[in-house]
Amino acid sequence: MALLTTFNTIVLNCVNSANDYPRGYQLTVSADGINLSAPVATGTGTSGVTTITCAPQVARYIRVTQTGSVSGTYWSIDEFNVFGTVPTVPAN
């Protein structure tokens, strides 16, 4: 059985190559590694650290696809950090 995790924030860190941030990105998720969701977030990076937020997602696999580019630059990620939501305790 796949281990599913709930998350709502991804932080892409490329500060060691500060110009390599994503000029455009699309975030999709999957529980099984085969069937991907529709995009749950899209956007553009502007610096060495790109923070992507979305509604809480339950998934095992996360895919970030670069959708933009600038001639003469690359895209690299030094760290890919995933942050979850704080679980709530039921009232009863």
Side-chain angles (χ1 to χ4, degrees):
M1 180 168 183
L3 175 64
L4 299 175
T5 302
T6 302
F7 69 94
N8 65 346
T9 304
I10 306 290
V11 178
L12 308 176
N13 180 338
C14 68
V15 294
N16 291 324
S17 302
N19 291 324
D20 290 356
Y21 59 87
R23 295 328 197 253
Y25 62 81
Q26 174 179 285
L27 177 69
T28 54
V29 298
S30 174
D32 60 12
I34 298 170
N35 300 296
L36 289 169
S37 69
V40 298
T42 59
T44 323
T46 58
S47 68
V49 176
T50 301
T51 301
I52 303 170
T53 58
C54 58
Q57 301 295 313
V58 178
R60 181 175 185 190
Y61 301 93
I62 301 168
R63 177 181 285 179
V64 178
T65 304
Q66 176 153 304
T67 60
S69 64
V70 171
S71 181
T73 65
Y74 298 93
W75 184 39
S76 64
I77 300 172
D78 298 327
E79 295 180 11
F80 186 102
N81 297 289
V82 180
F83 297 95
T85 58
V86 177
T88 56
V89 177
N92 296 324

